[in-house]
């Protein structure tokens, strides 16, 4: 039976073909070794991630086209639809092209209470994006709303590609976007200079102990 | 075994059974949407909630295993409350469009909302809307109605073996579809319509045609392949509107092939509704009397030894017996039912039937398919082979043109010589076949309708005997037929008598008068130019185009007929609607014509004819009674097993959707051909 014509869900953007490049291939070999034969389908998540990263390297846009999902299905010996299901289930896989920088704003309760609305508004104002899921006209930014990123201590969070920018407000967001536009992303982390998730303005507990002098409390005494 | 008490009734169920199965055993009906006995358990609709003593919450009975001493309540206030809650959630996004929904009247959701639904909705938000999907020319989708039970997804990947459907995205955005918007490439896709508990998947050709309660339902037997699927004909007035499968665990379980289900619109097109007689090279309408006179004039003028009869693929046994009796009365030995010239040996029944039986496939542990594509020739039987493969520990190999059969097959090559190699033990699969306890050999018509067909038959029998497929309790030699009429005709002996001619012998002027009983699959160009052709059938197809006299007969929905499937199972289909116009039941036509010639066939009604049928071949006296049998007599069929040719096997069915006059007249089947076999559709234009 001949294959009925298949349609791409995103005509136009869809590349003609997708082949894993040598850089991805090297990683795939390592990943596949983790799973026994006949259980290779378990590698679908890491392979989707690899495909997305390769697309970023090759085209500047981190997304997984359908041809890439088909390539993964063939590689892992699973029906293509099973890969489509996984890829569309996880928010982290973009099944349509995104901008060069993928802005993922957390708007879940803690971030929202700490001012994520201002972050969203600033992103919209600076990039010209009108709503979540849109890519800016210059193709540089795509903004998405995400659920809790698990860094509530430093809320609100703006994730750019893989990096967390924390303790955001309107001003720092604007500065960050300007830096991204200049292709000079600042180091990730807190934007108000706190160390990891330590209290703002420095530690407020255990301040009397001098760790360097070796007087840290010993357990059990 | 575990003892479980369901609503005070104590039942004993095997360990590992689900609470739902225990409840069914106790006679308690549990509402369900996602659970289906023949599919894997998903447990996602939550409608089957029951109360289990000592469990703090209601449990989903379909996915909850029984434990010894469990006390289950299926109708407590807690259960009813829980199911009402589930129903309310299901109805949140389900549109209230029952009045325009084709599922209306036979909808699980509609029925169960009578029991567990609220009289009003508390939901004030917008309902979600989902874009409809394209699943091809047979299945219509209204995806907003989908309750995401995933039965269709599981059917496609488990039963049909085409893992093309899936649930993409998640949460409120979850949608069922193929993601790539392509037609589902399965010959069993119509069953999606049956298993969908709501109106999300409905029949495209039947859309907005009728309501289920308007239809007259008649039990019948499918004739589009030789499996003999049990069907229900739904008719309204003079029209057959749809065909649905009927449960028969031994034959089709509850499935039906797409051709059998959707070719019904062919029953209303290109029908022969009055007799025609060729005058001066043109067919002109005639009365029955004129037609009979025209034939009688010819018959009396001819030498009986030069009169022949060929029975078609869709014939009921009754009409074939009447034709055989007519030929006997005329004194003609020229009879044949093998339109394709298959070299079948009818001297013993187990040479030409599917001895293992369809249900028996599930006991086989090695299968060799020779010159057949069961997916195209008998999709429901193919699903049974897939079911066997899913159960594990089986080797399946095939000789023929490689094709996707929905289960992994080792393609040994495409030459009859492979059979000889297997017998010599040259191939690795030969070892597997020999070591198997219950090996099965399936011989297709593609392997038999060729010059060396009888050698292939004998060689396959010999291989079966050598690998232990023929024992007292297991018969592993199987012939897969494509024509619903074939086994019945062979049982009746609708074959050349002493000195009689076969189909080839009757061609090229080998007969002066040829009676074609719905025989359309022979090459009409081969019939001699001077041969007087009588075509008795229901469709204006190839045979009618060549005919000198056309006698309008009845299609399978229009007569009560007996059919023998490829297993040798005798089944009876009932009359659903009247034949169109002046068309008549075929045996009556033959009986009436014999009378014109002065030969009185010894039956005046169907009962007498069926008594005669059982007298000619006792199997016809045992309706739907097919005991499993072993091989008793190991004498091989006639032929030389060494005279195998080298020509590759050619598939017997190229286009699943158009194999007979009815499906060729069906616009739906034409649309399927265009979708699934674009090259064949183009060539036909």
């Amino acid at each position: 039976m001949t294959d009925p014509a298949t349609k791409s869900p995103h005509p136009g953007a869809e590349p003609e073909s997708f082949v894993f490049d040598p850089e991805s291939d090297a990683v795939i070999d390592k990943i596949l070794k983790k799973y026994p034969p006949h259980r290779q389908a378990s590698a679908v998540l890491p392979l989707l991630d690899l495909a997305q990263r390769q697309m970023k390297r090759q085209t500047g846009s981190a997304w997984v086209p359908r041809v890439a999902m088909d390539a993964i299905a063939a590689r892992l010996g699973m029906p293509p639809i099973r890969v489509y299901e996984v890829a569309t289930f996880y928010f982290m896989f973009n099944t349509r092209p995104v901008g060069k920088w993928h802005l993922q704003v957390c708007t879940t309760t803690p971030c929202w209470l700490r001012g994520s609305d201002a972050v969203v508004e600033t992103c919209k104002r600076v990039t010209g994006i009108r709503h979540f899921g849109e890519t800016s006209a210059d193709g540089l930014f795509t903004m998405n709303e995400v659920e809790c990123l698990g860094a509530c201590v430093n809320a609100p969070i703006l994730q750019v590609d893989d990096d967390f920018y924390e303790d955001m407000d309107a001003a720092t967001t604007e500065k960050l976007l300007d830096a991204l536009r200049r292709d000079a992303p600042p180091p990730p982390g807190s934007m108000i200079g706190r160390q990891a998730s330590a209290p703002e303005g420095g530690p407020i507990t255990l301040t009397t102990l001098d760790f360097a002098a070796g007087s840290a409390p010993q357990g059990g005494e | 075994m575990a003892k479980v008490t369901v609503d005070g009734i104590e039942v004993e169920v095997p360990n590992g059974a689900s609470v739902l199965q225990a409840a069914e055993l106790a006679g308690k009906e549990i509402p369900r949407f996602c659970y289906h006995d023949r599919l894997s358990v998903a447990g996602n609709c939550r409608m089957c909630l029951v109360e289990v003593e000592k469990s703090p919450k209601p449990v989903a009975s379909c996915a909850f295993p029984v434990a010894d001493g469990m006390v289950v309540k299926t109708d407590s206030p807690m259960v009813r409350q829980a199911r009402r809650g589930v129903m309310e959630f299901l109805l949140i996004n389900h549109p209230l469009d029952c009045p325009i929904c084709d599922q209306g009247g036979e909808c699980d959701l509609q029925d169960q909302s009578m029991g567990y639904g609220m009289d009003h909705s508390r939901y004030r938000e917008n309902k979600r809307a989902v874009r409809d999907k394209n699943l091809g020319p047979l299945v219509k989708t209204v995806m907003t109605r989908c309750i995401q039970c995933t039965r269709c997804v599981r059917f496609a990947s488990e039963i049909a073996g085409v893992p093309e459907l899936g649930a993409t995205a998640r949460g409120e955005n979850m949608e069922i579809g193929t993601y790539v918007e392509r037609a589902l490439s399965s010959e069993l896709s119509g069953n999606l319509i049956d298993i969908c508990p709501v109106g999300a998947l409905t029949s495209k050709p039947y859309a907005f045609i009728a309501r289920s309660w308007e239809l007259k339902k008649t039990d019948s037997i499918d004739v589009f392949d030789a499996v003999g699927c049990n069907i229900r004909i739904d008719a309204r007035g003079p029209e057959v509107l749809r065909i649905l499968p009927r449960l028969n665990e031994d034959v089709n379980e509850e499935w039906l092939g797409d051709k059998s289900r959707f070719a019904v619109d062919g029953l209303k097109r290109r029908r022969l509704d009055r007799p025609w007689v060729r005058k001066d090279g043109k067919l002109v309408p005639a009365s029955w009397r004129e037609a009979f006179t025209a034939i009688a004039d010819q018959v009396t003028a001819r030498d009986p030894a030069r009169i022949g009869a060929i029975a078609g693929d869709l014939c009921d046994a009754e009409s074939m017996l009447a034709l055989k009796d007519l030929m006997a009365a005329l004194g003609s030995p020229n009879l044949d039912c093998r339109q394709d010239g298959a070299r079948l040996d009818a001297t013993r029944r187990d040479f030409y039937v599917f001895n293992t039986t369809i249900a028996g496939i599930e006991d086989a542990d090695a299968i060799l398919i020779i010159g057949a594509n069961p997916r195209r020739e008998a999709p429901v039987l193919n699903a049974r082979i897939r079911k066997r493969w899913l159960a594990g520990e089986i080797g399946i190999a095939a000789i023929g043109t490689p094709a996707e059969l929905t289960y992994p097959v080792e393609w040994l090559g495409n030459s009859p010589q492979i059979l000889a190699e297997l017998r010599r033990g040259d191939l690795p699969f030969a070892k597997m076949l020999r070591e198997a306890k219950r090996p099965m050999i399936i011989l297709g018509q593609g392997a038999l309708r060729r010059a060396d067909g009888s050698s292939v038959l004998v060689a396959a029998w010999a291989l079966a005997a050598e690998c232990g497929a023929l024992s007292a309790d297991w018969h592993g030699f199987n012939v897969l037929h494509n024509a619903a009429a074939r086994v019945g005709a062979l049982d009746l002996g609708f074959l050349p008598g002493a000195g009689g001619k076969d189909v080839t012998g009757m061609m090229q002027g080998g007969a002066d008068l040829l009676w074609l009983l719905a025989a359309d699959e022979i090459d009409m160009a081969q019939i001699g130019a001077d041969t007087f052709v009588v075509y008795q059938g229901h469709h204006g197809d190839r045979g009618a185009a060549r005919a000198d006299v056309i006698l309008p007969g009845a299609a399978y929905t229009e007569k009560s007929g007996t059919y023998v499937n490829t297993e040798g199972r005798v089944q009876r289909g009932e009359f659903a609607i009247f034949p169109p116009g002046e068309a008549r039941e075929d045996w009556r036509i033959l009986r009436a014509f014999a009378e014109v010639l002065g030969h009185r066939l010894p039956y005046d009604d169907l009962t007498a004819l069926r008594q005669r049928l059982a007298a000619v071949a006792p199997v016809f006296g045992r309706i739907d009674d097919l005991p499993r049998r072993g091989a008793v007599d190991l004498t091989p069929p006639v032929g030389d097993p060494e005279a195998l040719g080298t020509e590759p096997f050619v598939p017997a069915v190229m286009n699943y959707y158009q194999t007979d006059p009815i499906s060729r007249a069906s616009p739906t089947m034409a649309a399927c051909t265009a979708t699934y076999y674009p090259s064949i559709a183009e060539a036909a234009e």
Side-chain angles (χ1 to χ4, degrees), chain A residues 2 7 66 81-82 85 88-89, chain B residues 163 165-167 169-170 180 678:
Chain A
T2 52
K7 265 200 266 173
R66 188 177 68 80
I81 182 72
R82 299 282 99 86
E85 285 180 325
T88 53
F89 183 88
Chain B
L165 275 177
R170 63 168 167 177
V180 289

Side-chain angles (χ1 to χ4, degrees), chain B residues 182-199:
Chain B
R182 54 181 250 174
L184 205 63
S185 61
S186 173
E187 290 78 10
L188 295 168
S189 63
N191 298 298
L192 292 173
I193 298 163
D194 291 345
I195 59 158
C196 181
V198 297

